[in-house]
Amino acid sequence: MGGPIWHAPMHDKYFVAKMLSQLNQDEAKFSTSKRIIGMLTLVNNELDIPLYLPVDQLCAKVHCNVIPLLEFRSALLNAGYHVSETHAMSNCVKTDAPMSVIWDIIRIWVKERHPVSANRLDKDDVMKNILEKVSTTTVNFNHHQDAPLPSSGLLRFQMNPTANWGPGIRGSSNSNSEWDVNQEKRKSKQNKKKQKAQNENNSLY
């Protein structure tokens, strides 16, 4: 893990709350007001913890189906820990639970919901080492009343403006266009020389 890592509070909650109040009073002021409100609501409830956990990547380590965030958050809350979203990336969580608890949750998820075959387990040492450890946390996936997100239903992360949106065709500069034209001229001259030489050779026979 690299560093340095910011460990102080990430947001001025008073400032964020004031911005939210003003935006809610006049949503029409900005064309992106809905997304701003969504992100500020997320930020206002974000834990002051430096790192976040990408749940899908953790589950990928043991090749299991991704734990739904509602169930993952419920498991953390039922175990007595805090959990929130992160402004940095969607489908991730912040929590004060230690990694031992995180892996316990994933182990129980695999054991109770999505068992891994013995053959697959033997082929992956990382997965085997993680799943064969004994869990010490009482894991409960039952829905917790605080598991739903405060920003649920709000527009948060930027969506693609159109379907299949992405980088377009790279534009060519004038210098490139001129270079292409010159190349074509050179090729044309070379072809004419070759044709002339071939005609002269044919005339000798």
Side-chain angles (χ1 to χ4, degrees):
M1 182 183 294
I5 297 173
W6 182 264
H7 206 274
M10 299 188 68
H11 312 293
D12 184 335
K13 297 297 179 72
Y14 172 77
F15 178 72
V16 171
K18 196 169 182 180
M19 288 179 66
L20 271 171
S21 176
Q22 291 187 4
L23 281 166
N24 285 322
Q25 291 174 15
D26 187 11
E27 286 191 30
K29 188 172 184 179
F30 303 105
S31 60
T32 56
S33 286
K34 289 185 177 180
R35 185 162 62 86
I36 296 173
I37 290 171
M39 287 302 292
L40 288 175
T41 302
L42 184 159
V43 162
N44 204 37
N45 292 279
E46 185 174 358
L47 294 175
D48 277 326
I49 293 171
L51 304 177
Y52 58 87
L53 301 172
V55 179
D56 57 339
Q57 293 181 32
L58 292 173
C59 290
K61 292 293 183 184
V62 295
H63 304 285
C64 73
N65 290 358
V66 179
I67 306 174
L69 287 180
L70 187 63
E71 293 185 56
F72 193 80
R73 290 193 298 271
S74 291
L76 287 166
L77 290 166
N78 288 329
Y81 297 98
H82 299 91
V83 62
S84 77
E85 291 179 280
T86 171
H87 72 280
M89 189 179 295
S90 61
N91 300 321
C92 295
V93 299
K94 280 188 169 186
T95 180
D96 54 0
M99 285 306 300
S100 58
V101 171
I102 301 300
W103 287 120
D104 279 350
I105 290 172
I106 293 173
R107 268 189 285 272
I108 299 302
W109 172 259
V110 171
K111 182 180 179 180
E112 294 183 355
R113 307 288 184 89
H114 297 280
V116 176
S117 67
N119 290 335
R120 195 168 191 180
L121 199 62
D122 290 335
K123 293 178 181 178
D124 192 321
D125 290 336
V126 173
M127 177 172 61
K128 186 175 182 179
N129 288 334
I130 292 172
L131 294 181
E132 287 187 345
K133 286 186 177 179
V134 178
S135 298
T136 58
T137 306
T138 300
V139 178
N140 179 6
F141 291 108
N142 290 339
H143 181 269
H144 191 282
Q145 62 179 4
D146 295 329
L149 299 171
S151 61
S152 180
L154 298 176
L155 181 62
R156 291 162 292 175
F157 297 93
Q158 179 65 55
M159 303 296 291
N160 289 341
T162 59
N164 303 316
W165 182 83
I169 299 173
R170 184 178 66 180
S172 59
S173 63
N174 290 335
S175 59
N176 287 339
S177 298
E178 291 173 3
W179 185 85
D180 291 338
V181 170
N182 291 333
Q183 283 290 96
E184 289 298 324
K185 287 181 179 179
R186 290 192 191 96
K187 288 181 181 179
S188 179
K189 287 181 180 180
Q190 289 173 357
N191 290 335
K192 286 179 180 179
K193 286 181 180 179
K194 287 180 181 179
Q195 187 64 43
K196 184 178 180 181
Q198 187 175 357
N199 291 339
E200 289 176 351
N201 289 335
N202 291 337
S203 65
L204 296 175
Y205 299 98

